[in-house]
Amino acid sequence: ETGVTQSPTHLIKTRGQQVTLRCSSQSGHNTVSWYQQALGQGPQFIFQYYREEENGRGNFPPRFSGLQFPNYSSELNVNALELDDSALYLCASSLEIGYGYTFGSGTRLTVV
Amino acid sequence: AQTVTQSQPEMSVQEAETVTLSCTYDTSESDYYLFWYKQPPSRQMILVIRQEAYKQQNATENRFSVNFQKAAKSFSLKISDSQLGDAAMYFCAYSRPGNTGKLIFGQGTTLQVKP
């Protein structure tokens, strides 16, 4: 097992730009969830992917989108960045939906 | 909709002492899971303990134990023999049994451990 790896660790973007965050899950992990954690707050669920299909979405606008790939990696894409998108973005993966999830260390996104 | 509330933004404890972190939640469902996660400065969420709502027995993991009061919708975490490495932000979280990847988190409690 190599854990869950997220890249980059830190990122600074300008308002209006687009960003792609990446998550590399452990082999065999069929499901991945993404969370947004504002400073000093608890994480909020963005969406979940299971076997490359979206399997549930939280209260986030369509400019937040994702992809999951057959090699157990996934992406979170955010278009038209806003200042309020500044946060820590966490991914978590698991073998199956009802099993325990392993979290990555997150990507700290700053929008200026 | 389910909600999770942690009313203690910060707590402190002396090394080797015991501390209890509070959490309340609201749900209309009868079956669910509750969790305590630890987030150290490394930012990675680490599962501390999990409780299934259908189990009456409180979960324990070494120095960590919970007091699960289903009727009161209360789920507190007790840390015994506190260690310097326990210093972190602690989050209470809720999920449905069928999907533990869709977690609803509380606002967190920052725990300081004093030597």
Side-chain angles (χ1 to χ4, degrees), chain B residues 45-102:
Chain B
M45 285 283 187
I46 300 166
L47 178 64
V48 175
I49 201 163
R50 181 174 103 167
Q51 174 81 43
E52 287 99 70
Y54 68 87
K55 290 185 177 179
Q56 293 188 344
Q57 187 172 9
N58 289 325
T60 63
E61 285 288 342
N62 301 313
R63 297 182 295 108
F64 299 88
S65 62
V66 298
N67 183 5
F68 173 49
Q69 301 290 327
K70 191 173 185 179
K73 295 182 181 175
S74 170
F75 183 62
S76 61
L77 174 70
K78 185 171 84 171
I79 306 174
S80 303
D81 186 26
S82 297
Q83 301 175 359
L84 295 177
D86 294 335
M89 197 148 185
Y90 286 80
F91 292 96
C92 179
Y94 168 104
S95 83
R96 290 178 168 175
N99 193 346
T100 52
K102 185 179 178 182

Side-chain angles (χ1 to χ4, degrees), chain A residues 43 90 103-104, chain B residues 37-39 43-47 91 105:
Chain A
L90 296 165
F103 280 80
Chain B
Y37 279 89
K38 170 184 177 180
Q39 188 177 40
R43 309 183 316 199
Q44 184 182 21
M45 285 283 187
I46 300 166
L47 178 64
F91 292 96
F105 286 90

Side-chain angles (χ1 to χ4, degrees), chain A residues 9-10 33 35 37 40-43 45 48 55 88 90 97-99 101 103-108, chain B residues 33 37 39 42-47 50 89 91 97-108:
Chain A
T9 54
H10 295 83
S33 296
Y35 293 84
Q37 185 178 12
Q41 301 294 316
F45 175 76
Q48 180 185 65
N55 184 55
L88 178 68
L90 296 165
I97 289 176
Y99 288 29
Y101 278 70
F103 280 80
S105 296
T107 293
R108 171 75 66 193
Chain B
Y33 291 166
Y37 279 89
Q39 188 177 40
S42 67
R43 309 183 316 199
Q44 184 182 21
M45 285 283 187
I46 300 166
L47 178 64
R50 181 174 103 167
M89 197 148 185
F91 292 96
N99 193 346
T100 52
K102 185 179 178 182
L103 292 159
I104 299 169
F105 286 90
Q107 305 93 316

